[in-house]
């Protein structure tokens, strides 16, 4: 899975300019605007990725950029990476770019949590919401020889001694893989503070821990385990989506397993605060056109992404709700 992603990232990088020199937080702002004519591609746009090349955010940003350019929605869009503090270095940079209508940032649920756990002065409520693009369901997985054959088996053992059963995720506290087991614990009547969560540096470290029985179960995006699931090395006890996933047709949802929880890791785009209504409309319109294209639909299928498009005020409402839910949970855990 990671090999295929790495190949796609490399191909996309070939058509996207990486503006390394733009990473300084005090770099000069671009000229405001970014709107093209009625039938002309937008020019001068820049899309920041608040973590490293090859990450999920990076892949999404470069896919968006490629589709925008392939469909003549925009030309010469620059993608640049500004990693640090789980995305909050980039978030602070974006907020500092107040009024810059040519810049936006790729982000998602992980940045919401990191804004609290990293004690960031900048918050997502300071930004201008543009669009939510995709969702990716999580999965609860165990090694093939695990004694837990169903979610009921796992939950029964977990509730008996929550601190004994370690759950691993590929996120630091506040990230999606951390939030998932915490919300799952609440849904089954376990105090989140009693969860024995072990943090790994992404799926590359999480997978060996699952296969080596170093943890009782793993919680992460299902795409991290597809190859191992197909090979029979890992079993999926449940997926966290509303409906079953085509790629995992035999895996029940949490709701099918009697647990009232739906959890998805989503990704979207926000712009700096203080941009004009015209600039905001330009970004929203361009994302809408991109989403409606056949090229984007092909990328959704290719990457196994769930279409979750909402834009403008609707995305703003969603972002506010997500911010409050994450803040409440992290406060309960003493992390915010």
């Amino acid at each position: 899975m990671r090999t295929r992603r790495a190949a796609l990232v490399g191909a996309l990088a070939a058509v996207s300019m990486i503006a390394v020199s733009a990473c300084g937080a005090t770099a000069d702002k671009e000229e405001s605007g970014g709107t093209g004519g009625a039938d002309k591609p937008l020019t001068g746009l820049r899309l920041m990725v608040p973590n490293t090349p090859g990450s999920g955010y990076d892949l999404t940003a470069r896919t968006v950029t490629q589709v925008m350019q392939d469909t003549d929605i925009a030309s010469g869009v620059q993608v640049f990476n500004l990693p640090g503090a789980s995305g909050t270095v980039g978030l602070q940079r974006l907020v500092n770019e107040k009024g810059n209508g040519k810049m936006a940032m790729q982000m998602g649920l992980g940045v919401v949590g990191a804004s609290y756990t990293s004690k960031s002065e900048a918050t997502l409520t300071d930004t201008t919401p543009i669009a939510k693009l995709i969702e990716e369901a999580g999965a609860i997985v165990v090694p093939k020889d695990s004694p837990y054959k169903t979610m009921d088996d796992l939950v029964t053992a977990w509730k008996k001694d929550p601190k004994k059963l370690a759950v691993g995720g590929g996120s630091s506290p506040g990230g999606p893989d951390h939030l998932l087991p915490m919300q799952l614990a609440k849904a089954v009547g376990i105090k989140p503070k009693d969860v024995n969560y072990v943090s790994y540096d992404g799926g590359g470290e999480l997978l060996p821990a699952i296969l080596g029985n170093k943890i009782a179960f793993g919680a992460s995006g299902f795409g991290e385990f597809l190859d191992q699931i197909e090979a029979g090395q890992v079993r999926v006890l449940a997926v966290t989506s509303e409906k079953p996933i085509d790629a995992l047709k035999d895996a029940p949802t949490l709701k099918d397993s009697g647990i009232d929880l739906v959890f998805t890791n989503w990704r979207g785009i926000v712009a700096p605060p203080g941009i004009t209504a015209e600039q905001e409309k330009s970004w929203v319109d361009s994302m809408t056109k991109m989403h409606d294209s056949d090229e984007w639909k092909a990328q959704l299928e290719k990457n196994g992404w769930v279409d979750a498009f909402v834009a403008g005020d609707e995305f703003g409402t969603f972002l506010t709700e997500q911010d409050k839910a994450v803040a409440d949970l992290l406060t309960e855990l003493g992390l915010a």
Side-chain angles (χ1 to χ4, degrees):
M1 182 70 179
R2 289 191 170 275
T3 300
R4 293 197 294 269
R5 286 190 177 185
L8 178 57
V9 170
L12 294 178
V15 296
S16 297
M17 295 179 63
I18 305 174
V20 177
S21 61
C23 292
T26 58
D28 292 339
K29 293 183 180 180
E30 298 81 353
E31 180 184 351
S32 295
T35 57
D39 55 358
K40 293 181 180 180
L42 303 177
T43 60
L45 301 182
R46 305 180 68 215
L47 187 55
M48 185 199 325
V49 178
N51 52 19
T52 56
S55 63
Y57 288 167
D58 189 68
L59 174 63
T60 308
R62 294 185 187 282
T63 303
V64 167
T65 299
Q66 180 182 2
V67 172
M68 290 179 72
Q69 296 181 151
D70 287 349
T71 55
D72 292 328
I73 293 169
S75 65
V77 183
Q78 294 182 339
V79 178
F80 70 96
N81 298 80
L82 184 57
S86 300
T88 55
V89 170
L91 177 60
Q92 184 65 64
R93 165 70 187 276
L94 189 79
V95 171
N96 289 347
E97 292 283 341
K98 182 177 181 179
N100 184 355
K102 287 191 175 184
M103 182 180 285
M105 183 179 78
Q106 179 69 61
M107 48 74 70
L109 178 58
V111 178
V112 179
S115 68
Y116 288 98
T117 57
S118 297
K119 312 299 182 186
S120 172
E121 292 185 7
T123 68
L124 284 164
T125 55
D126 295 327
T127 67
T128 302
I130 300 301
K132 180 175 70 160
L133 300 174
I134 60 172
E135 290 179 348
E136 185 177 37
I140 306 301
V141 299
V142 294
K144 63 180 180 180
D145 56 351
S146 169
Y148 312 118
K149 307 300 182 185
T150 66
M151 279 301 300
D152 187 59
D153 292 341
L154 175 61
V155 170
T156 298
W158 200 18
K159 291 176 75 171
K160 284 182 180 178
D161 194 348
K163 294 182 180 180
K164 182 178 179 181
L165 266 68
V167 51
S171 298
S172 57
D177 289 6
H178 173 250
L179 295 172
L180 169 53
M182 297 303 161
Q183 291 194 14
L184 178 60
K186 290 190 71 171
V188 301
I190 296 172
K191 294 179 180 179
K193 280 191 174 182
D194 290 338
V195 174
N196 179 8
Y197 177 76
V198 183
S199 175
Y200 293 90
D201 188 11
E205 288 191 3
L206 173 61
L207 183 59
I210 296 171
L211 297 176
N213 292 290
K214 293 181 179 179
I215 53 178
F217 66 102
S220 189
F222 76 90
E224 300 284 354
F225 310 113
L226 279 179
D227 290 344
Q228 288 70 33
I229 293 167
E230 292 172 0
Q233 296 176 308
V234 169
R235 287 190 289 111
V236 181
L237 299 187
V239 292
T240 67
S241 50
E242 182 75 39
K243 299 178 182 179
I245 295 170
D246 289 341
L248 301 171
K249 292 181 179 179
D250 295 332
T253 64
L254 288 175
K255 285 194 170 185
D256 290 336
S257 305
I259 300 171
D260 188 18
L261 176 66
V262 173
F263 180 96
T264 55
N265 183 16
W266 54 269
R267 296 174 194 153
I269 290 177
V270 294
I275 64 174
T276 67
E278 181 184 9
Q279 291 166 340
E280 181 180 352
K281 184 177 185 300
S282 178
W283 272 110
V284 170
D285 287 351
S286 67
M287 289 299 104
T288 302
K289 291 177 183 176
M290 190 276 305
H291 163 264
D292 292 343
S293 70
D294 290 338
E295 288 83 352
W296 177 249
K297 292 178 176 63
Q299 291 292 343
L300 291 176
E301 183 175 355
K302 182 177 183 178
N303 291 286
W305 292 334
V306 176
D307 186 2
F309 187 80
V310 294
D313 291 342
E314 189 175 356
F315 179 44
T317 298
F318 171 83
L319 198 54
T320 299
E321 292 170 350
Q322 288 282 291
D323 187 77
K324 184 180 185 306
V326 170
D328 289 347
L329 178 58
L330 293 177
T331 298
E332 183 178 344
L333 291 167
L335 297 174

